Amino acid sequence: MQQYIDSYDFNGKKAIVRVDFNVPLDENFNITDDTRIRRAIPTLKKVLAGGGSLIIMSHLGRPKKVDPKFSLGHIVGRVSECLGVPVQFADDCQKAAAQAAALKPGEVLLLENLRYYAEEEGKPRGLAEDASDDEKKAAKAAVKASQKEFTKTLASYADCYINDAFGTAHRAHASTALIAEYFPNDKMFGYLMEGEIKAIDNVLKNAQRPLTAIIGGSKVSSKLAVLKNLVGKVDNLIIGGGMGYTFVKAQGGNVGNSLHEDELIPDALEILKEAKEKGVNVSLSVAAVCAQEFSNDAPRKVFPIDQIPEDWEGMDASDASLENWKKIILASKTVLWNGPVGVFELPNFAKGTLQIAEDLAEATKLGAYTLVGGGDSVAAVTKMGYSDKVSYVSTGGGAMLEAIEGKILPGIAAIQE
Ligand code: AMP
């Protein structure tokens, strides 16, 4: 049975909390962005304020074995600073029983990187490249079997389980999903997860209309399921960035050297057909800022979206496209945005994406509910200083995408079921 963090009695209890402390580190192991730590603090403080103690667990990077480069030891100091209490460290997440047992109310223990163990993800490691199918199968069965023990050990440290790691909610890992079964009556979401789930529901389940989705990024293939799910739900679907050119080509346009995927033309046509049948307004760029080289300093020229010459490549949305999109965004009551509408990494082609960030902030001011997710979109909103001027900035790129594909995320299901 799902519990709720606000009403749960933590007094004298040990809570094991899965957080997403997968923060970026520089070459000297200094944290370059501590957003993920800060976003988990309300949940962690709630447990301590309620008289509980904390066992915090996370992954960091993608180590394939014990590797000091990926040690959570690098972040103990910052976690302690953000929490305002000392933080103990367990340098092996599977051998922390004594430290966990000794925790007194108000005390905090951070476990070493869960992904030092293959059991966290439940995927075999170190398989020879030429391993046979039978060998692969056996290795998978072996890691799945030891995953149970791994999960049980983590669960044995605590009286209750909190999942506050939205960034990994789409993974059925030991710490994100499997562990929940050991806490049938003592499992709950942290505040961050609750916020993320509510934000997605505000868009997919309880949206005020008109509802507009802006989907950008490089390829249709990576967001095909997102587009297919959204086309049945939204009033306006703005398709920008590299993925727009497949839609332009599907309708007979010349996209020149722009990014496109010929093999996805049938899917693009299917989405356009469904949109038409459902009365959904699909809005593509009307013109593109193009270059002949994929470089920031390349000379720029604007061409109509369906008349891009052979050796030119669409790199950003044009002013006319941005004007159209602004009108749609400002007339919306709910807006979802995922993915840049141009090559955001190159400052000379970031204008469109930054403009979308500005439009969302303005729409929010006018009373719309606005949700932003995905690395580049979040970076654009942050760069413009608008993180507090949109309704919600998601912390999970992949998890958010899977949620807007309409999938039930394992990390969410494990708590709710
Ligand atoms: P995604 O991870 O699918 O959200 O895609 C993000 C990437 O899309 C960024 O690296 C952008 O540079 C890229 N992108 C956006 N628009 C274009 C474009 N017109 N041509 C090439 N890449 C693009």
Side-chain angles (χ1 to χ4, degrees):
M1 192 185 64
Q2 179 181 350
Q3 298 284 344
Y4 291 89
I5 185 166
D6 255 339
S7 50
Y8 193 83
D9 181 5
F10 290 104
N11 200 16
K13 299 237 173 82
K14 293 186 168 75
I16 189 158
V17 191
R18 176 52 154 108
V19 293
D20 179 5
F21 282 176
N22 184 26
V23 289
L25 300 175
D26 67 15
E27 62 282 7
N28 298 315
F29 305 110
N30 296 309
I31 299 170
T32 55
D33 180 355
D34 66 358
T35 309
R36 287 180 167 159
I37 297 176
R38 286 187 287 104
R39 297 279 298 256
I41 294 299
T43 293
L44 302 176
K45 282 196 167 161
K46 167 75 180 165
V47 174
L48 297 180
S53 53
L54 282 170
I55 298 141
I56 307 173
M57 56 179 175
S58 179
H59 75 285
L60 177 66
R62 294 181 171 172
K64 292 289 168 232
K65 57 180 172 35
V66 175
D67 180 346
K69 256 195 345 231
F70 298 104
S71 174
L72 280 161
H74 300 308
I75 71 163
V76 176
R78 183 65 64 87
V79 177
S80 171
E81 244 170 67
C82 292
L83 262 179
V85 295
V87 171
Q88 304 168 43
F89 186 60
D91 58 13
D92 184 336
C93 69
Q94 284 287 283
K95 297 195 179 118
Q99 281 172 286
L103 284 177
K104 294 192 203 59
E107 292 187 340
V108 184
L109 176 67
L110 174 66
L111 303 185
E112 181 56 289
N113 200 336
L114 296 160
R115 289 197 190 164
Y116 279 0
Y117 287 90
E119 283 77 6
E120 163 62 359
E121 295 177 278
K123 279 195 224 139
R125 286 181 185 165
L127 261 176
E129 267 184 30
D130 58 353
S132 68
D133 283 353
D134 280 352
E135 283 168 331
K136 283 185 194 156
K137 241 177 155 174
K140 199 165 176 198
V143 75
K144 284 281 170 203
S146 51
Q147 191 179 39
K148 264 197 168 325
E149 279 311 307
F150 177 87
T151 312
K152 212 165 145 186
T153 301
L154 293 175
S156 71
Y157 300 157
D159 305 300
C160 60
Y161 167 63
I162 304 176
N163 189 351
D164 212 19
F166 184 68
T168 46
H170 56 318
R171 307 284 183 219
H173 293 168
S175 68
T176 61
L178 308 185
I179 192 172
E181 82 173 79
Y182 295 91
F183 301 94
N185 298 310
D186 300 278
K187 54 181 182 173
M188 66 208 91
F189 296 124
Y191 289 122
L192 180 59
M193 280 284 267
E194 280 185 358
E196 297 274 0
I197 294 167
K198 197 164 151 224
I200 289 164
D201 283 353
N202 280 345
V203 172
L204 293 186
K205 290 193 183 151
N206 319 311
Q208 303 278 342
R209 289 182 181 271
L211 163 60
T212 296
I214 307 152
I215 304 297
S218 52
K219 291 181 171 176
V220 178
S221 51
S222 64
K223 292 187 189 165
L224 186 60
V226 168
L227 294 169
K228 283 187 170 167
N229 190 40
L230 288 177
V231 80
K233 293 193 157 63
V234 299
D235 302 298
N236 302 294
L237 182 58
I238 294 174
I239 303 176
M243 67 172 59
Y245 300 101
T246 301
F247 285 84
V248 174
K249 190 159 183 207
Q251 296 174 94
N254 291 323
V255 299
N257 209 11
S258 308
L259 198 68
H260 65 278
E261 294 165 288
D262 285 332
E263 63 286 9
L264 282 153
I265 284 180
D267 294 286
L269 287 172
E270 187 58 36
I271 288 167
L272 292 171
K273 182 168 161 250
E274 193 179 337
K276 200 165 177 198
E277 282 163 11
K278 294 196 162 135
V280 173
N281 169 36
V282 174
S283 182
L284 301 169
S285 281
V286 288
V289 178
C290 301
Q292 286 176 297
E293 255 176 75
F294 196 85
S295 113
N296 190 46
D297 300 322
R300 285 161 280 165
K301 208 168 168 183
V302 175
F303 292 103
I305 199 78
D306 55 355
Q307 293 164 46
I308 300 177
E310 260 337 285
D311 52 345
W312 288 79
E313 172 173 4
M315 303 272 278
D316 198 6
S318 67
D319 288 346
S321 311
L322 293 168
E323 273 306 308
N324 284 344
W325 291 344
K326 187 185 188 119
K327 277 188 209 131
I328 296 172
I329 294 167
L330 295 190
S332 301
K333 284 272 177 292
T334 308
V335 186
L336 164 70
W337 178 29
N338 183 295
V341 299
V343 184
F344 178 67
E345 301 90 323
L346 304 180
N348 286 339
F349 300 98
K351 184 178 170 208
T353 303
L354 294 173
Q355 180 63 48
I356 299 284
E358 191 163 332
D359 297 345
L360 255 74
E362 206 174 326
T364 317
K365 214 158 137 195
L366 294 173
Y369 182 84
T370 52
L371 168 59
V372 183
D376 296 305
S377 316
V378 172
V381 166
T382 311
K383 192 167 174 185
M384 298 290 281
Y386 291 156
S387 303
D388 296 333
K389 295 196 164 83
V390 295
S391 307
Y392 197 85
V393 177
S394 176
T395 53
M400 186 207 180
L401 275 183
E402 289 199 20
I404 58 179
E405 283 172 15
K407 283 193 188 148
I408 312 273
L409 307 187
I412 293 178
I415 298 285
Q416 286 176 336
E417 64 200 13

